[in-house]
Amino acid sequence: MKFIYIYPTVLFFSLATSQNIGINTTNPQEELHVSGNTSTIRVEGLNEINNVNNLGEQSTSRVFVNEFGDLVLGEMTDNVQLIFDSENYLQDVANPTSLILQTGEGDGFSQAGIPTLGIAASFTLTAPAVVEINYSVSWTVGKNFSATKKIDDYRARTVQTGVYFRRDNYMGPAVINDYFGNPINGGALCITSTCSEQAGLIAINGQIYNNESKTEGEYKSYRNSASDYVVLGPGTYTPMFAAQLAVGDTNATGAVKMYLGVDKDEMQVIAHYFN
């Protein structure tokens, strides 16, 4: 049971009286002092049922102080919004839409994967926002992508993945600059094997793959995970994946291929509105 202790303090030679209210404390240091490492405060006027500015359980609604000193919920443009949190963002296929061909050293990224939600994977920003991306994407690799033709040339390969944005749906133009007009992540990278298209990649992450046996060793169920931020302006966007499979020497390596998104692939997009 929680008790509220009210401690009056009498100021001598004055008729003024001040009172401090303490919750879970017998020695309140402020006019209202809530003590306890796990203490909480609930204001029912700010909850999802009673306040239209509360974004609900899937998002975070910020509390502000207005000009009168009242605690209020910010408007939509002041809040943090969970755009979507998909546990399987890409279609689970091993076909040309998810294929990444091996390249030599360099920025040989290629776009790969189609969102499971199709055009519904897009999101709309009503104001400038810091967009947070968190992902975990799967990949497989091998000679001609065959379980009996695993890579066995003793050569280490780099598998890198990243996220870029397209305007409107997943077939729209790629985004190169952020809200302020600055190149995303310092400059655009190729997202097609012929570099016919470029985009600003964020959340670039990778790992090394090496296998020396045709029959042993894994060739699937690998994952790359990363998080990153970018400032985007008002508009509709679709997050997309790009990846590269690079090796230092391509001589006599055979037709090595990688497929992206053949298993469950998580994608989380959070908008932090600031203007």
Side-chain angles (χ1 to χ4, degrees):
M1 180 178 294
K2 297 182 177 179
F3 299 91
I4 297 178
Y5 299 90
I6 301 177
Y7 292 84
T9 301
V10 178
L11 298 181
F12 294 102
F13 309 106
S14 174
L15 296 178
T17 301
S18 65
Q19 294 177 328
N20 289 348
I21 298 177
I23 300 177
N24 289 337
T25 178
T26 58
N27 184 28
Q29 300 299 306
E30 300 291 342
E31 293 181 8
L32 176 60
H33 184 166
V34 181
S35 181
N37 295 336
T38 59
S39 60
T40 58
I41 297 176
R42 173 174 295 184
V43 181
E44 292 192 352
L46 301 181
N47 66 22
E48 180 181 6
I49 296 176
N50 297 320
N51 198 305
V52 296
N53 288 320
N54 190 301
L55 299 178
E57 63 178 350
Q58 297 299 317
S59 301
T60 300
S61 303
R62 294 182 178 176
V63 177
F64 293 84
V65 179
N66 66 13
E67 68 272 25
F68 305 108
D70 299 331
L71 298 180
V72 297
L73 287 180
E75 301 293 334
M76 174 70 75
T77 54
D78 300 319
N79 289 322
V80 178
Q81 181 182 17
L82 178 62
I83 304 291
F84 51 76
D85 188 4
S86 175
E87 295 183 357
N88 193 21
Y89 187 70
L90 296 179
Q91 295 178 7
D92 301 333
V93 295
N95 61 30
T97 66
S98 61
L99 174 62
I100 301 293
L101 294 174
Q102 177 181 265
T103 64
E105 297 176 342
D107 298 326
F109 283 88
S110 296
Q111 58 188 3
I114 297 177
T116 304
L117 299 174
I119 60 175
S122 63
F123 62 91
T124 299
L125 300 178
T126 57
V130 177
V131 176
E132 176 184 350
I133 291 289
N134 303 296
Y135 76 81
S136 177
V137 64
S138 62
W139 51 273
T140 63
V141 63
K143 287 184 179 179
N144 292 312
F145 191 60
S146 171
T148 60
K149 295 184 178 180
K150 300 174 184 178
I151 301 173
D152 59 347
D153 56 13
Y154 296 87
R155 298 179 187 176
R157 288 164 171 81
T158 301
V159 178
Q160 288 186 297
T161 55
V163 171
Y164 68 99
F165 298 90
R166 290 192 178 275
R167 284 282 187 177
D168 301 320
N169 56 48
Y170 66 89
M171 296 179 289
V175 178
I176 294 178
N177 297 325
D178 63 14
Y179 167 67
F180 301 106
N182 300 318
I184 295 174
N185 208 8
L189 295 176
C190 299
I191 56 172
T192 56
S193 58
T194 60
C195 206
S196 60
E197 190 175 16
Q198 295 182 320
L201 281 176
I202 64 171
I204 298 176
N205 193 20
Q207 57 181 301
I208 300 296
Y209 174 86
N210 191 13
N211 187 36
E212 58 186 41
S213 172
K214 292 182 179 180
T215 58
E216 298 178 358
E218 290 295 331
Y219 68 100
K220 61 181 179 179
S221 300
Y222 290 97
R223 289 185 175 275
N224 282 12
S225 301
S227 298
D228 209 347
Y229 300 84
V230 64
V231 181
L232 298 178
T236 301
Y237 304 88
T238 300
M240 300 290 293
F241 280 100
Q244 72 167 343
L245 172 64
V247 64
D249 183 4
T250 58
N251 293 325
T253 60
V256 177
K257 300 178 180 179
M258 181 176 77
Y259 288 94
L260 196 71
V262 294
D263 202 349
K264 301 297 183 182
D265 308 289
E266 299 179 18
M267 169 69 77
Q268 183 184 73
V269 182
I270 303 173
H272 303 260
Y273 289 101
F274 64 91
N275 192 5

